[in-house]
mmCIF file of all heavy atoms in Angstrom:
data_model
loop_
_atom_site.group_PDB
_atom_site.id
_atom_site.type_symbol
_atom_site.label_atom_id
_atom_site.label_comp_id
_atom_site.label_asym_id
_atom_site.label_seq_id
_atom_site.Cartn_x
_atom_site.Cartn_y
_atom_site.Cartn_z
ATOM 1 N N LYS A 211 -52.587 251.336 7.851
ATOM 2 C CA LYS A 211 -51.693 250.563 8.736
ATOM 3 C C LYS A 211 -50.260 250.944 8.362
ATOM 4 O O LYS A 211 -49.969 251.168 7.201
ATOM 5 C CB LYS A 211 -51.900 249.100 8.557
ATOM 6 C CG LYS A 211 -53.216 248.615 9.016
ATOM 7 C CD LYS A 211 -53.342 247.093 8.882
ATOM 8 C CE LYS A 211 -54.649 246.623 9.427
ATOM 9 N NZ LYS A 211 -54.790 245.194 9.325
ATOM 10 N N PRO A 212 -49.371 251.035 9.381
ATOM 11 C CA PRO A 212 -47.982 251.360 9.085
ATOM 12 C C PRO A 212 -47.318 250.226 8.273
ATOM 13 O O PRO A 212 -47.742 249.070 8.422
ATOM 14 C CB PRO A 212 -47.319 251.530 10.473
ATOM 15 C CG PRO A 212 -48.214 250.787 11.377
ATOM 16 C CD PRO A 212 -49.592 250.831 10.826
ATOM 17 N N PRO A 213 -46.312 250.493 7.488
ATOM 18 C CA PRO A 213 -45.705 249.444 6.704
ATOM 19 C C PRO A 213 -45.021 248.469 7.652
ATOM 20 O O PRO A 213 -44.491 248.872 8.733
ATOM 21 C CB PRO A 213 -44.681 250.185 5.840
ATOM 22 C CG PRO A 213 -44.447 251.493 6.496
ATOM 23 C CD PRO A 213 -45.744 251.810 7.226
ATOM 24 N N ALA A 214 -44.974 247.212 7.303
ATOM 25 C CA ALA A 214 -44.369 246.188 8.124
ATOM 26 C C ALA A 214 -42.827 246.376 8.082
ATOM 27 O O ALA A 214 -42.285 246.685 7.014
ATOM 28 C CB ALA A 214 -44.767 244.817 7.627
ATOM 29 N N LYS A 215 -42.223 246.249 9.225
ATOM 30 C CA LYS A 215 -40.783 246.361 9.315
ATOM 31 C C LYS A 215 -40.138 244.984 9.067
ATOM 32 O O LYS A 215 -40.625 244.020 9.555
ATOM 33 C CB LYS A 215 -40.338 246.809 10.707
ATOM 34 C CG LYS A 215 -40.791 248.192 11.072
ATOM 35 C CD LYS A 215 -40.237 248.480 12.467
ATOM 36 C CE LYS A 215 -40.997 249.606 13.152
ATOM 37 N NZ LYS A 215 -40.553 249.849 14.490
ATOM 38 N N PRO A 216 -39.062 244.942 8.265
ATOM 39 C CA PRO A 216 -38.378 243.668 8.147
ATOM 40 C C PRO A 216 -37.766 243.296 9.512
ATOM 41 O O PRO A 216 -37.200 244.171 10.202
ATOM 42 C CB PRO A 216 -37.292 243.924 7.087
ATOM 43 C CG PRO A 216 -37.217 245.417 6.940
ATOM 44 C CD PRO A 216 -38.483 245.996 7.523
ATOM 45 N N ARG A 217 -37.913 242.073 9.905
ATOM 46 C CA ARG A 217 -37.436 241.631 11.234
ATOM 47 C C ARG A 217 -36.442 240.489 11.075
ATOM 48 O O ARG A 217 -36.580 239.639 10.247
ATOM 49 C CB ARG A 217 -38.574 241.174 12.114
ATOM 50 C CG ARG A 217 -39.581 242.268 12.358
ATOM 51 C CD ARG A 217 -40.840 241.758 12.986
ATOM 52 N NE ARG A 217 -40.591 241.075 14.225
ATOM 53 C CZ ARG A 217 -41.502 240.482 14.983
ATOM 54 N NH1 ARG A 217 -42.758 240.477 14.568
ATOM 55 N NH2 ARG A 217 -41.206 239.865 16.093
ATOM 56 N N GLU A 218 -35.475 240.504 11.944
ATOM 57 C CA GLU A 218 -34.578 239.425 12.019
ATOM 58 C C GLU A 218 -35.195 238.419 13.010
ATOM 59 O O GLU A 218 -35.948 238.790 13.876
ATOM 60 C CB GLU A 218 -33.203 239.861 12.606
ATOM 61 C CG GLU A 218 -32.462 240.827 11.715
ATOM 62 C CD GLU A 218 -31.187 241.283 12.307
ATOM 63 O OE1 GLU A 218 -30.700 240.674 13.273
ATOM 64 O OE2 GLU A 218 -30.641 242.264 11.845
ATOM 65 N N ASP A 219 -34.877 237.177 12.830
ATOM 66 C CA ASP A 219 -35.495 236.148 13.728
ATOM 67 C C ASP A 219 -34.757 236.249 15.076
ATOM 68 O O ASP A 219 -33.612 235.858 15.240
ATOM 69 C CB ASP A 219 -35.300 234.736 13.149
ATOM 70 C CG ASP A 219 -36.000 233.691 13.991
ATOM 71 O OD1 ASP A 219 -36.812 234.049 14.844
ATOM 72 O OD2 ASP A 219 -35.729 232.498 13.777
ATOM 73 N N PRO A 220 -35.446 236.790 16.112
ATOM 74 C CA PRO A 220 -34.813 236.964 17.418
ATOM 75 C C PRO A 220 -34.825 235.685 18.247
ATOM 76 O O PRO A 220 -34.330 235.689 19.363
ATOM 77 C CB PRO A 220 -35.651 238.028 18.105
ATOM 78 C CG PRO A 220 -37.020 237.822 17.517
ATOM 79 C CD PRO A 220 -36.803 237.318 16.096
ATOM 80 N N GLY A 221 -35.380 234.600 17.727
ATOM 81 C CA GLY A 221 -35.454 233.388 18.497
ATOM 82 C C GLY A 221 -36.746 233.348 19.277
ATOM 83 O O GLY A 221 -37.696 234.038 19.000
ATOM 84 N N PRO A 222 -36.788 232.467 20.325
ATOM 85 C CA PRO A 222 -38.045 232.357 21.075
ATOM 86 C C PRO A 222 -38.441 233.666 21.789
ATOM 87 O O PRO A 222 -37.568 234.376 22.301
ATOM 88 C CB PRO A 222 -37.771 231.268 22.107
ATOM 89 C CG PRO A 222 -36.355 230.787 21.881
ATOM 90 C CD PRO A 222 -35.747 231.569 20.791
ATOM 91 N N GLN A 223 -39.672 233.957 21.745
ATOM 92 C CA GLN A 223 -40.205 235.195 22.325
ATOM 93 C C GLN A 223 -40.903 234.888 23.639
ATOM 94 O O GLN A 223 -41.536 233.834 23.764
ATOM 95 C CB GLN A 223 -41.191 235.886 21.413
ATOM 96 C CG GLN A 223 -40.558 236.372 20.108
ATOM 97 C CD GLN A 223 -39.661 237.552 20.367
ATOM 98 O OE1 GLN A 223 -39.972 238.446 21.097
ATOM 99 N NE2 GLN A 223 -38.509 237.547 19.738
ATOM 100 N N PRO A 224 -40.782 235.779 24.592
ATOM 101 C CA PRO A 224 -41.511 235.569 25.855
ATOM 102 C C PRO A 224 -43.054 235.701 25.539
ATOM 103 O O PRO A 224 -43.447 236.346 24.557
ATOM 104 C CB PRO A 224 -41.074 236.717 26.781
ATOM 105 C CG PRO A 224 -40.575 237.762 25.823
ATOM 106 C CD PRO A 224 -40.026 237.016 24.621
ATOM 107 N N PRO A 225 -43.895 235.040 26.390
ATOM 108 C CA PRO A 225 -45.315 235.151 26.116
ATOM 109 C C PRO A 225 -45.820 236.615 26.204
ATOM 110 O O PRO A 225 -45.235 237.426 26.972
ATOM 111 C CB PRO A 225 -45.953 234.271 27.217
ATOM 112 C CG PRO A 225 -44.847 234.207 28.275
ATOM 113 C CD PRO A 225 -43.573 234.312 27.594
ATOM 114 N N GLU A 226 -46.824 236.886 25.453
ATOM 115 C CA GLU A 226 -47.349 238.267 25.465
ATOM 116 C C GLU A 226 -48.020 238.538 26.791
ATOM 117 O O GLU A 226 -48.652 237.661 27.396
ATOM 118 C CB GLU A 226 -48.406 238.460 24.334
ATOM 119 C CG GLU A 226 -47.686 238.373 22.982
ATOM 120 C CD GLU A 226 -48.413 239.164 21.964
ATOM 121 O OE1 GLU A 226 -49.227 240.030 22.329
ATOM 122 O OE2 GLU A 226 -48.107 238.959 20.760
ATOM 123 N N PRO A 227 -47.871 239.777 27.306
ATOM 124 C CA PRO A 227 -48.529 240.108 28.554
ATOM 125 C C PRO A 227 -50.077 240.093 28.407
ATOM 126 O O PRO A 227 -50.579 240.303 27.319
ATOM 127 C CB PRO A 227 -48.026 241.525 28.905
ATOM 128 C CG PRO A 227 -47.622 242.094 27.570
ATOM 129 C CD PRO A 227 -47.166 240.926 26.734
ATOM 130 N N PRO A 228 -50.750 239.828 29.499
ATOM 131 C CA PRO A 228 -52.227 239.831 29.419
ATOM 132 C C PRO A 228 -52.753 241.221 29.093
ATOM 133 O O PRO A 228 -52.078 242.227 29.321
ATOM 134 C CB PRO A 228 -52.681 239.410 30.829
ATOM 135 C CG PRO A 228 -51.558 239.711 31.720
ATOM 136 C CD PRO A 228 -50.289 239.634 30.859
ATOM 137 N N GLU A 229 -53.950 241.282 28.548
ATOM 138 C CA GLU A 229 -54.614 242.540 28.240
ATOM 139 C C GLU A 229 -54.767 243.343 29.490
ATOM 140 O O GLU A 229 -55.149 242.838 30.543
ATOM 141 C CB GLU A 229 -56.003 242.295 27.612
ATOM 142 C CG GLU A 229 -55.944 241.681 26.240
ATOM 143 C CD GLU A 229 -55.843 242.740 25.155
ATOM 144 O OE1 GLU A 229 -56.293 243.854 25.381
ATOM 145 O OE2 GLU A 229 -55.274 242.394 24.104
ATOM 146 N N PRO A 230 -54.443 244.679 29.408
ATOM 147 C CA PRO A 230 -54.675 245.528 30.590
ATOM 148 C C PRO A 230 -56.158 245.615 30.853
ATOM 149 O O PRO A 230 -56.986 245.521 29.955
ATOM 150 C CB PRO A 230 -54.059 246.837 30.225
ATOM 151 C CG PRO A 230 -54.055 246.873 28.708
ATOM 152 C CD PRO A 230 -53.942 245.422 28.248
ATOM 153 N N PRO A 231 -56.476 245.832 32.129
ATOM 154 C CA PRO A 231 -57.932 246.002 32.405
ATOM 155 C C PRO A 231 -58.479 247.271 31.776
ATOM 156 O O PRO A 231 -57.716 248.165 31.408
ATOM 157 C CB PRO A 231 -57.965 246.142 33.941
ATOM 158 C CG PRO A 231 -56.593 246.589 34.312
ATOM 159 C CD PRO A 231 -55.680 245.999 33.324
ATOM 160 N N GLU A 232 -59.763 247.264 31.576
ATOM 161 C CA GLU A 232 -60.416 248.428 30.933
ATOM 162 C C GLU A 232 -60.110 249.651 31.780
ATOM 163 O O GLU A 232 -60.281 249.694 32.957
ATOM 164 C CB GLU A 232 -61.935 248.151 30.946
ATOM 165 C CG GLU A 232 -62.770 249.254 30.346
ATOM 166 C CD GLU A 232 -64.224 248.858 30.409
ATOM 167 O OE1 GLU A 232 -64.684 248.026 29.617
ATOM 168 O OE2 GLU A 232 -64.920 249.426 31.277
ATOM 169 N N PRO A 233 -59.624 250.769 31.099
ATOM 170 C CA PRO A 233 -59.311 251.990 31.885
ATOM 171 C C PRO A 233 -60.550 252.585 32.462
ATOM 172 O O PRO A 233 -61.600 252.623 31.845
ATOM 173 C CB PRO A 233 -58.681 252.889 30.847
ATOM 174 C CG PRO A 233 -58.665 252.208 29.562
ATOM 175 C CD PRO A 233 -59.323 250.885 29.701
ATOM 176 N N VAL A 234 -60.443 253.047 33.705
ATOM 177 C CA VAL A 234 -61.550 253.741 34.382
ATOM 178 C C VAL A 234 -61.076 255.124 34.806
ATOM 179 O O VAL A 234 -60.037 255.253 35.390
ATOM 180 C CB VAL A 234 -62.038 252.930 35.570
ATOM 181 C CG1 VAL A 234 -63.154 253.688 36.276
ATOM 182 C CG2 VAL A 234 -62.508 251.554 35.193
ATOM 183 N N ILE A 235 -61.835 256.113 34.449
ATOM 184 C CA ILE A 235 -61.520 257.532 34.806
ATOM 185 C C ILE A 235 -62.600 258.013 35.725
ATOM 186 O O ILE A 235 -63.789 257.812 35.466
ATOM 187 C CB ILE A 235 -61.451 258.433 33.523
ATOM 188 C CG1 ILE A 235 -60.418 257.837 32.582
ATOM 189 C CG2 ILE A 235 -61.184 259.843 33.899
ATOM 190 C CD1 ILE A 235 -60.474 258.483 31.176
ATOM 191 N N SER A 236 -62.259 258.616 36.803
ATOM 192 C CA SER A 236 -63.208 259.193 37.754
ATOM 193 C C SER A 236 -63.251 260.671 37.543
ATOM 194 O O SER A 236 -62.209 261.323 37.551
ATOM 195 C CB SER A 236 -62.875 258.859 39.157
ATOM 196 O OG SER A 236 -62.952 257.474 39.414
ATOM 197 N N ALA A 237 -64.471 261.218 37.371
ATOM 198 C CA ALA A 237 -64.606 262.681 37.207
ATOM 199 C C ALA A 237 -65.909 263.084 37.803
ATOM 200 O O ALA A 237 -66.968 262.583 37.481
ATOM 201 C CB ALA A 237 -64.587 263.004 35.723
ATOM 202 N N GLU A 238 -65.837 263.996 38.733
ATOM 203 C CA GLU A 238 -66.989 264.600 39.417
ATOM 204 C C GLU A 238 -67.972 263.491 39.935
ATOM 205 O O GLU A 238 -69.161 263.589 39.736
ATOM 206 C CB GLU A 238 -67.742 265.542 38.453
ATOM 207 C CG GLU A 238 -66.914 266.748 38.044
ATOM 208 C CD GLU A 238 -67.655 267.693 37.179
ATOM 209 O OE1 GLU A 238 -68.879 267.658 37.162
ATOM 210 O OE2 GLU A 238 -66.983 268.539 36.579
ATOM 211 N N GLY A 239 -67.409 262.475 40.548
ATOM 212 C CA GLY A 239 -68.200 261.438 41.146
ATOM 213 C C GLY A 239 -68.703 260.365 40.163
ATOM 214 O O GLY A 239 -69.420 259.459 40.576
ATOM 215 N N LEU A 240 -68.328 260.466 38.888
ATOM 216 C CA LEU A 240 -68.747 259.485 37.917
ATOM 217 C C LEU A 240 -67.555 258.632 37.538
ATOM 218 O O LEU A 240 -66.426 259.119 37.452
ATOM 219 C CB LEU A 240 -69.287 260.156 36.627
ATOM 220 C CG LEU A 240 -70.539 261.012 36.811
ATOM 221 C CD1 LEU A 240 -70.827 261.723 35.478
ATOM 222 C CD2 LEU A 240 -71.723 260.127 37.158
ATOM 223 N N GLU A 241 -67.837 257.352 37.269
ATOM 224 C CA GLU A 241 -66.774 256.469 36.712
ATOM 225 C C GLU A 241 -66.972 256.384 35.232
ATOM 226 O O GLU A 241 -68.030 256.053 34.731
ATOM 227 C CB GLU A 241 -66.883 255.093 37.358
ATOM 228 C CG GLU A 241 -66.316 255.004 38.717
ATOM 229 C CD GLU A 241 -66.179 253.552 39.199
ATOM 230 O OE1 GLU A 241 -66.615 252.629 38.483
ATOM 231 O OE2 GLU A 241 -65.604 253.382 40.257
ATOM 232 N N ILE A 242 -65.935 256.685 34.495
ATOM 233 C CA ILE A 242 -65.998 256.667 33.012
ATOM 234 C C ILE A 242 -65.159 255.462 32.578
ATOM 235 O O ILE A 242 -63.954 255.364 32.871
ATOM 236 C CB ILE A 242 -65.401 257.967 32.394
ATOM 237 C CG1 ILE A 242 -66.213 259.151 32.961
ATOM 238 C CG2 ILE A 242 -65.391 257.901 30.901
ATOM 239 C CD1 ILE A 242 -65.558 260.465 32.790
ATOM 240 N N HIS A 243 -65.804 254.531 31.859
ATOM 241 C CA HIS A 243 -65.124 253.347 31.341
ATOM 242 C C HIS A 243 -64.814 253.565 29.873
ATOM 243 O O HIS A 243 -65.726 253.861 29.048
ATOM 244 C CB HIS A 243 -66.005 252.121 31.513
ATOM 245 C CG HIS A 243 -66.300 251.819 32.918
ATOM 246 N ND1 HIS A 243 -65.574 250.888 33.639
ATOM 247 C CD2 HIS A 243 -67.178 252.311 33.780
ATOM 248 C CE1 HIS A 243 -66.029 250.837 34.884
ATOM 249 N NE2 HIS A 243 -67.020 251.689 34.972
ATOM 250 N N VAL A 244 -63.543 253.463 29.485
ATOM 251 C CA VAL A 244 -63.161 253.623 28.108
ATOM 252 C C VAL A 244 -63.093 252.268 27.463
ATOM 253 O O VAL A 244 -62.350 251.369 27.851
ATOM 254 C CB VAL A 244 -61.735 254.312 28.051
ATOM 255 C CG1 VAL A 244 -61.305 254.500 26.584
ATOM 256 C CG2 VAL A 244 -61.768 255.625 28.820
ATOM 257 N N THR A 245 -63.912 252.083 26.403
ATOM 258 C CA THR A 245 -63.995 250.784 25.738
ATOM 259 C C THR A 245 -63.966 251.012 24.217
ATOM 260 O O THR A 245 -64.110 252.140 23.742
ATOM 261 C CB THR A 245 -65.290 249.999 26.054
ATOM 262 O OG1 THR A 245 -66.381 250.732 25.454
ATOM 263 C CG2 THR A 245 -65.492 249.868 27.559
ATOM 264 N N GLU A 246 -63.794 249.956 23.496
ATOM 265 C CA GLU A 246 -63.857 249.970 22.024
ATOM 266 C C GLU A 246 -65.266 249.591 21.572
ATOM 267 O O GLU A 246 -65.512 249.376 20.377
ATOM 268 C CB GLU A 246 -62.851 249.011 21.417
ATOM 269 C CG GLU A 246 -61.419 249.335 21.718
ATOM 270 C CD GLU A 246 -60.958 250.619 21.033
ATOM 271 O OE1 GLU A 246 -61.442 250.892 19.934
ATOM 272 O OE2 GLU A 246 -60.119 251.342 21.600
ATOM 273 N N ALA A 247 -66.231 249.548 22.452
ATOM 274 C CA ALA A 247 -67.577 249.019 22.168
ATOM 275 C C ALA A 247 -68.340 249.899 21.183
ATOM 276 O O ALA A 247 -69.254 249.478 20.543
ATOM 277 C CB ALA A 247 -68.336 248.805 23.420
ATOM 278 N N GLY A 248 -68.061 251.191 21.108
ATOM 279 C CA GLY A 248 -68.791 252.043 20.236
ATOM 280 C C GLY A 248 -68.754 253.458 20.764
ATOM 281 O O GLY A 248 -68.172 253.738 21.805
ATOM 282 N N ARG A 249 -69.377 254.355 20.038
ATOM 283 C CA ARG A 249 -69.369 255.712 20.417
ATOM 284 C C ARG A 249 -70.725 256.069 21.034
ATOM 285 O O ARG A 249 -71.740 256.014 20.338
ATOM 286 C CB ARG A 249 -69.067 256.599 19.164
ATOM 287 C CG ARG A 249 -67.730 256.353 18.662
ATOM 288 C CD ARG A 249 -67.480 256.953 17.357
ATOM 289 N NE ARG A 249 -68.323 258.124 17.106
ATOM 290 C CZ ARG A 249 -67.966 259.156 16.405
ATOM 291 N NH1 ARG A 249 -66.789 259.145 15.832
ATOM 292 N NH2 ARG A 249 -68.743 260.160 16.192
ATOM 293 N N SER A 250 -70.700 256.458 22.279
ATOM 294 C CA SER A 250 -71.944 256.867 22.959
ATOM 295 C C SER A 250 -71.571 257.914 24.031
ATOM 296 O O SER A 250 -70.454 258.083 24.402
ATOM 297 C CB SER A 250 -72.642 255.651 23.583
ATOM 298 O OG SER A 250 -71.799 255.069 24.525
ATOM 299 N N ILE A 251 -72.656 258.587 24.449
ATOM 300 C CA ILE A 251 -72.485 259.613 25.489
ATOM 301 C C ILE A 251 -73.512 259.264 26.554
ATOM 302 O O ILE A 251 -74.672 258.932 26.279
ATOM 303 C CB ILE A 251 -72.767 261.021 24.882
ATOM 304 C CG1 ILE A 251 -71.707 261.358 23.862
ATOM 305 C CG2 ILE A 251 -72.830 262.047 26.009
ATOM 306 C CD1 ILE A 251 -71.906 262.645 23.151
ATOM 307 N N VAL A 252 -73.107 259.400 27.811
ATOM 308 C CA VAL A 252 -74.018 259.124 28.922
ATOM 309 C C VAL A 252 -74.872 260.376 29.119
ATOM 310 O O VAL A 252 -74.355 261.503 29.266
ATOM 311 C CB VAL A 252 -73.311 258.763 30.215
ATOM 312 C CG1 VAL A 252 -74.282 258.570 31.355
ATOM 313 C CG2 VAL A 252 -72.501 257.496 30.002
ATOM 314 N N ALA A 253 -76.221 260.210 29.031
ATOM 315 C CA ALA A 253 -77.105 261.351 29.162
ATOM 316 C C ALA A 253 -78.276 260.956 30.056
ATOM 317 O O ALA A 253 -78.537 259.764 30.288
ATOM 318 C CB ALA A 253 -77.622 261.788 27.810
ATOM 319 N N ASP A 254 -79.001 261.928 30.558
ATOM 320 C CA ASP A 254 -80.175 261.712 31.386
ATOM 321 C C ASP A 254 -81.346 261.264 30.494
ATOM 322 O O ASP A 254 -81.794 262.057 29.607
ATOM 323 C CB ASP A 254 -80.524 262.963 32.147
ATOM 324 C CG ASP A 254 -81.720 262.761 33.084
ATOM 325 O OD1 ASP A 254 -81.953 261.638 33.519
ATOM 326 O OD2 ASP A 254 -82.390 263.775 33.387
#
């Protein structure tokens, strides 16, 4: 992990943005979903 940076107290922070949707990549007619669920390969 990177070292923690010393921070000044900036006061109240805006709420964090919602998580972005799971990225989807289209390639040769297939939809590829990128997740943190694990390492796998789609095979026949």
